[in-house]
Amino acid sequence: MNILVFGKDGQLGKAFQEQLQHSSFQMGNMIRFVGRNECDLSDTSQITNLLNTFQPRLLINAAAYTAVDKAETESDLAFAINATAPEVMAQYAASHEATLLHFSTDYVFDGFKQGSYTELDRTNPLSVYGKSKEAGERAIQHAFFDDSQGQYAILRTSWVYGDGGNFIRTILQLAKERTSLQVIDDQYGVPTSATWLAEVGCYLTIDGEKPKQFTSGVYHAVPLGETNWYGLASLVVQSALDACQQLQVSPTAISPIPASGYPLPAPRPMNSCLSTNKLQIELERLGLVSKLPHWNTPWDEQVTAYVKQLSKN
Ligand SMILES: NC(=O)c1ccc[n+]([C@@H]2O[C@H](COP(=O)([O-])OP(=O)(O)OC[C@H]3O[C@@H](n4cnc5c(N)ncnc54)[C@H](OP(=O)(O)O)[C@@H]3O)[C@@H](O)[C@H]2O)c1
């Protein structure tokens, strides 16, 4: 089958490039990766032309407008990329019996819930970015509701890190430059490895030369466990020291501060922990849990391995 991956230069797009190199995904498939240069997602005619030319049976949308604070003043662009572009992809997939794998965010929630969010919880985004991603989710669901020949999965995830700019790399850089750090300790979520997420996405949607038949819908996709930004920063610094990195800061020189002490243009949810029970059940139904190499690896083990890997480079 033809597989088209949007967003090849982002953290998740790069992780898909790595995953899809595995022979089990390569065999019998024609895989094309596109970035902004090949297809600008703010221009719907470019998306339509590419889809009609390449005729993918599986569309993977790893692209997004992810500048959370900038989105507050670039609303039109954020909505074009996060809502209109996925809508065009979904309309194509729904009318061509194709499969769409799309990614969304924990920022669709307002964060006032006690405990983890499930897929049944009401969305109520606080920021323009969150609103644009929510609009993308709705557009996809609407396209498949109207004309449901194809299938779709929207994987909602959080705190992504991979090959690109992210919180962990920022902390490592600051830890090399400063002798003390202040990090927010009252916003909770789950750090998610782009590699782990791409692995889940590939297993869920690819069955040799065909799309895997799964139940269309929204799924929460994050590793086991949860933390806050301070907890994550502390682990990152300790892991870097354990991997013999030269830092100015020690874990005891990191101070917790409330989010109110670090105001940003876009409001963030205080709690964006996501429950993955629905995805666990679907993966079990498809017989995939035992096949997914890292499904049960908790977030902290994955972060430690990532920092160790960064330390080697
Ligand atoms: N990062 C997070 O913490 C986080 C958290 C929750 C959910 N998510 C979701 O996870 C998914 C992957 O995120 P990520 O971390 O991989 O994001 P990322 O590293 O920022 O990558 C996004 C990619 O989208 C591309 N893109 C942006 N505007 C475009 C346009 N007009 N035309 C074509 N391509 C365009 C970017 O291209 P350029 O490289 O040319 O800029 C970039 O390669 C997204 O759906 C995001 O909303 C991310």
Side-chain angles (χ1 to χ4, degrees), residues 39-249:
C39 181
D40 183 339
L41 295 183
S42 63
D43 178 353
T44 54
S45 66
Q46 291 193 29
I47 308 172
T48 308
N49 286 343
L50 177 61
L51 293 173
N52 289 334
T53 314
F54 188 61
Q55 302 200 339
R57 212 168 152 205
L58 170 61
L59 294 75
I60 300 176
N61 182 23
Y65 180 106
T66 55
V68 176
D69 290 313
K70 220 169 153 195
E72 295 296 309
T73 49
E74 283 191 348
S75 177
D76 288 352
L77 188 58
F79 271 81
I81 297 161
N82 291 345
T84 310
E87 179 174 30
V88 173
M89 295 175 199
Q91 283 167 346
Y92 173 89
S95 57
H96 288 78
E97 288 185 57
T99 295
L100 172 63
L101 174 60
H102 177 75
F103 294 86
S104 189
T105 173
D106 51 333
Y107 284 13
V108 297
F109 294 117
D110 59 23
F112 298 128
K113 184 178 177 181
Q114 303 285 323
S116 300
Y117 281 93
T118 76
E119 293 80 353
L120 294 175
D121 282 315
R122 192 176 67 91
T123 57
N124 184 31
L126 303 173
S127 60
V128 170
Y129 167 73
K131 289 184 173 108
S132 69
K133 294 293 289 185
E134 182 199 48
E137 292 186 1
R138 293 214 170 132
I140 292 170
Q141 289 164 321
H142 189 255
F144 281 91
F145 183 73
D146 281 352
D147 186 353
S148 55
Q149 291 176 48
Q151 54 174 5
Y152 73 93
I154 299 171
L155 300 188
R156 269 193 206 135
T157 191
S158 64
W159 300 17
V160 176
Y161 60 90
D163 185 353
N166 58 59
F167 176 84
I168 295 176
R169 283 175 189 256
T170 303
I171 289 294
L172 283 174
Q173 190 55 41
L174 291 175
K176 285 178 191 156
E177 297 164 3
R178 298 189 192 171
T179 50
S180 66
L181 295 176
Q182 293 188 319
V183 186
I184 292 168
D185 75 339
D186 57 357
Q187 279 175 349
Y188 288 81
V190 191
T192 302
S193 148
T195 304
W196 178 91
L197 190 57
E199 194 175 272
V200 172
C202 288
Y203 276 78
L204 180 69
T205 56
I206 303 173
D207 188 3
E209 299 173 25
K210 312 187 296 302
K212 191 171 269 298
Q213 294 301 304
F214 56 84
T215 312
S216 284
V218 176
Y219 293 93
H220 290 173
V222 293
L224 286 176
E226 61 183 61
T227 187
N228 57 50
W229 295 112
Y230 168 76
L232 175 54
S234 302
L235 179 70
V236 166
V237 166
Q238 187 59 59
S239 304
L241 291 171
D242 291 346
C244 300
Q245 278 215 40
Q246 298 289 321
L247 304 180
Q248 298 288 326
V249 103

